[in-house]
Amino acid sequence: MAPRQAARTNQDIAKVLREVGEYLAMQQVPFKPRAYEKAAEAVEGLETEAAQRYAEGGIKALREIPGVGASIADHIEELLRTGRLAYHETLKKEMPVRLDELSRVEGLGPKSVERLYRELGIRNLKDLEAAAKAGKIAALPGFGKKSEEKILKGVGFAKGSGHRFVLGHIMPKVREIEAMLGAVPGVERAIAAGSARRRKETVGDIDILAISSDPHAVMDAFVAMPGTMSVIAHGATKSSIKIRPGINVDLRVVPRESYGAALDYFTGSKDHNVAIRQIAAKKGLKLNEYGLFRMAAGGKEVRIAGDDEREIYAHLGMDWPEPELREDAGEVQAALAHALPKLIGYGDLAGDLQVQTDWTDGTASIEAMANAAASQGLRYIAITDHTKRLAMTHGLDETRIRKQWREIDAVNARLGGRMTVLKGTECDILKDGSLDLPDDVLARLDVVGVSVHSFFGLSRKDQTARVIRAMENPHVDILFHPTCRIIDRRPPIDLDMDAVIMAAKRTGTVLEIDAYPDRTDLKDEYIRKCVDAGVPLSIDSDAHAPAHFPYLEYGIAQARRGWASKDDIVNAQPLEKMRARLKKNRHS
Ligand code: DGT
Ligand code: CA
Ligand code: CA
Ligand code: ZN
């Protein structure tokens, strides 16, 4: 076997753990796959490198990572010490498929990967594409023509999407770069443009703009930045580097008089740029990354705007569109008609309605989570631990959840009104759409969230019926992470989203925007449909540790990309107003 690269960074470790989970899922081992998946997520979400934790606190520090139990901590130790994991290699030998490639194909779960390998010898994306094109997959019992077409489409998607990065994993780095460049002598401003400024859920690369009186100094500092893997170009006004974890960063130094035009141009999107350039052309103006120009007599170009982005839009007769809206999805027309939405602001959330604690798979106590939320400026949280079907998370049954209520009462008494802790649940939706807790328990909760954690592969018809049945339960307030997608790892479940949105409207069920970085579920286009239909939304962190509350930012970003305003988001409202908008209180 080819020598493995040392698995030392958090992302390397997460990748190996995730693959172990997927191999186990192929072997139809129960529960364990999700435990590995959870551990992978936890490692990826760490603020410090696991290697550093281990160096400082040994195996004990690894066991303290949220969702990492003793045996997985041993695995991480082995990875850190030797760069490999024998268990992973054994599993891989039994099933020599390129999981990193195949798991990116939408609709292709571990069980299908296993069958395709066993029956057709498919090991990688290339094999898969060839087999699909030759009609071999359609011929397999249980697959058929339709799955084959879906797989081919998924292959196309996987080929194109392999090199994008989750916004929430990259934003901390973006801010670091902005701060680092901003501190270089001569730099007046350094800011990220591109998809990062538009807060797209994934970014292909990072585009930074700077104004500086000493471009050489900025460029030299940039290419010498810590974490640089390679320098692709080092020029006087434009440089490009690759930084860990493998993402490219472009830096352009622009003159002050062009800053607004350059910011607008490099923020994009490309389609938005094309649309506003046409508006400029209709007015007889020329817009490019240097400025907005009018043609004077003798063919001379006269700059009429350029240093300020807002001024450019004003000259075009448009209101300034927030970067999150710039996808040529109607914002250009709305800006011309002075009818842009007033988006929810980044500081507008009052509470968080999905929080896990150490009663299940979270790392911290109810009180510690409440204090962490308070320090982020929130006024209330709902404790929503998993229910018993998720046995590996020690999901709560009736007895334990009642016990938890007493603890919540005690915590509330100690918090003295600084923060309110609500009694909630993340109740499992069973295969038939019934719920994992009895109605009389649900009736006593402040916030009932429900979610799918199993049978991801049901047909669209069955999956949609299952989810809608759960939403029809009069005690159910919120559908958590509605599509269950995990970016680059798990395709969304097959739901008829229009039907789900209609059901939400009809039943008064809130749909969640789960802000956990690689979930960001709902995605922007569905949020927009909810906003248009008047379906209430929540933005929740899905925090499993005190450090996860800042993830709310990515949920807000997604909401803004979906044109949501403060009024669309139930937990942007003060406690009593939020409560009044939950189903139980609207209907009883
Ligand atoms: P990404 O990096 O794939 O996540 O997406 P962006 O939007 O950051 O795209 P990128 O990095 O290729 O380019 C940054 C911006 O530069 C883009 O949003 C708009 C602008 N831009 C790039 N190429 C073109 C082009 O050919 N025409 C126009 N009008 N704008 C462009
Ligand atoms: Ca970019
Ligand atoms: Ca770029
Ligand atoms: Zn969940």
Side-chain angles (χ1 to χ4, degrees), residues 354 386 426 451 453 481 519:
Q354 195 194 157
H386 290 292
E426 177 174 7
S451 48
H453 292 116
H481 50 71
R519 284 194 184 267

Side-chain angles (χ1 to χ4, degrees), residues 425-466:
T425 179
E426 177 174 7
C427 186
D428 242 62
I429 301 176
L430 306 181
K431 189 180 179 188
D432 65 355
S434 63
L435 300 175
D436 200 23
L437 284 174
D439 277 356
D440 65 313
V441 174
L442 298 180
R444 292 192 50 194
L445 291 163
D446 298 308
V447 179
V448 174
V450 293
S451 48
V452 166
H453 292 116
S454 59
F455 301 103
F456 295 116
L458 294 186
S459 71
R460 166 171 292 225
K461 186 165 158 281
D462 291 346
Q463 196 70 277
T464 305
R466 172 195 190 188

Side-chain angles (χ1 to χ4, degrees), residues 180-253:
M180 190 277 288
L181 294 176
V184 173
V187 173
E188 191 178 310
R189 226 176 283 176
I191 185 178
S195 48
R197 185 166 179 241
R198 301 198 313 281
R199 305 299 190 101
K200 208 172 152 167
E201 61 187 33
T202 61
V203 298
D205 69 0
I206 302 171
D207 306 281
I208 309 274
L209 288 184
I211 313 177
S212 174
S213 56
D214 185 358
H216 277 291
V218 201
M219 289 303 173
D220 290 348
F222 179 63
V223 299
M225 192 164 60
T228 302
M229 295 163 71
S230 61
V231 176
I232 299 156
H234 183 175
T237 59
K238 184 177 179 227
S239 295
S240 259
I241 59 176
K242 189 192 276 294
I243 60 167
R244 275 201 287 275
I247 189 167
N248 285 1
V249 190
D250 295 338
L251 169 65
R252 291 177 184 81
V253 178

